[in-house]
Amino acid sequence: RRYSSCMDAKDLGDELSKILVTEEQLRTRLAEMARQIEADYPADRPPLLVGVLKGAVMVMADLARELRFHAEMDWMAVSSYGASTKSSGVVRILKDLDTALEGRDVLIVEDIIDSGLTLAWLKENLESRGAKSVRICTMLRKPDAAKVEVDVAYVGFDIPTDFVVGYGLDYAERYRNLRDVGVLAPHVYAGED
Ligand code: 5GP
Ligand code: MG
Ligand code: MG
């Protein structure tokens, strides 16, 4: 088998029912978001970027390189999903931050907000550690799926409630390195609960 230059949606056959956001659209929007973030934080007090593993790896890598200030990064891993496509509402810390948050301005960097349960919990958790401010930046948001109100300062794209993969987002650990965001074809996860 010969590979094309990267993992491309067209190599996936019928695994995606549609491409929702292209690599190009992600890049353009991310630059706009970065300009907004730069305008909102004083240059001598840039925020600590907190990425939520593993999904936010791609957003973090691209956003941090787009920002024109020293972007300190730290990571958390939380679990609310397992390998399933539905939110349990239960959040567990699998890996905590290395950084003390006392007095810090924190910008949470996320791949997607679905029910909002994970982010609502995380924001409160980081605030309780004495952060001066906690804002949220997410590449994707599903407004129709929101179960709790979460104040999100920066949103890339509002999308329908379909289960999506790519640009960091997985189904059973696959598709994360797909460069576009696509809707996973239902037959791929058919049979699950
Ligand atoms: P929430 O707590 O907002 O419902 O979901 C948060 C997490 O669920 C996200 O960070 C992501 O890991 C996962 N998630 C939610 N919607 C999707 C989706 O459409 N596709 C994938 N791959 N993961 C999702
Ligand atoms: Mg996430
Ligand atoms: Mg996942």
Side-chain angles (χ1 to χ4, degrees):
R1 184 187 166 192
R2 299 191 57 205
Y3 293 104
S4 50
S5 58
C6 62
M7 181 142 137
D8 197 279
K10 65 178 180 294
D11 298 327
L12 290 175
D14 63 353
E15 292 170 55
L16 300 181
S17 52
K18 146 183 217 193
I19 296 174
L20 208 57
V21 192
T22 65
E23 180 182 12
E24 176 72 35
Q25 289 170 319
L26 290 167
R27 187 171 344 114
T28 304
R29 183 70 189 117
L30 211 52
E32 292 169 358
M33 293 162 79
R35 299 295 85 79
Q36 218 184 324
I37 292 167
E38 289 166 351
D40 290 352
Y41 291 89
D44 58 342
R45 273 193 65 101
L48 169 70
L49 306 184
V50 169
V52 184
L53 294 168
K54 308 172 194 168
V57 165
M58 306 298 175
V59 195
M60 179 71 104
D62 288 344
L63 177 67
R65 286 179 294 178
E66 188 62 44
L67 288 167
R68 294 170 293 188
F69 52 62
H70 289 287
E72 199 181 321
M73 289 171 243
D74 203 347
W75 301 91
M76 277 182 88
V78 300
S79 148
S80 59
Y81 263 60
S84 165
T85 56
K86 299 198 184 70
S87 190
S88 64
V90 180
V91 179
R92 264 190 319 140
I93 295 183
L94 305 177
K95 185 232 171 282
D96 208 347
L97 298 172
D98 300 323
T99 317
L101 297 188
E102 195 80 8
R104 297 295 305 262
D105 293 300
V106 174
L107 182 59
I108 300 174
V109 177
E110 257 288 28
D111 47 0
I112 191 166
I113 302 185
D114 185 2
S115 68
L117 293 168
T118 309
L119 259 292
W121 179 90
L122 190 60
K123 186 164 189 278
E124 217 176 276
N125 181 282
L126 300 189
E127 279 163 352
S128 76
R129 304 184 196 196
K132 182 158 169 274
S133 70
V134 180
R135 284 192 188 151
I136 298 168
C137 170
T138 187
M139 199 64 229
L140 304 168
R141 179 173 64 180
K142 297 179 184 173
D144 297 339
K147 285 192 187 136
V148 285
E149 251 335 288
V150 201
D151 187 23
V152 185
Y154 314 98
V155 180
F157 297 92
D158 279 320
I159 61 168
T161 50
D162 313 287
F163 191 80
V164 296
V165 293
Y167 199 62
L169 288 158
D170 74 310
Y171 173 65
E173 297 305 325
R174 301 183 66 198
Y175 307 101
R176 289 195 199 276
N177 60 331
L178 177 65
R179 290 176 174 230
D180 307 313
V181 173
V183 176
L184 191 64
H187 73 82
V188 177
Y189 55 89
E192 182 201 300
D193 67 7

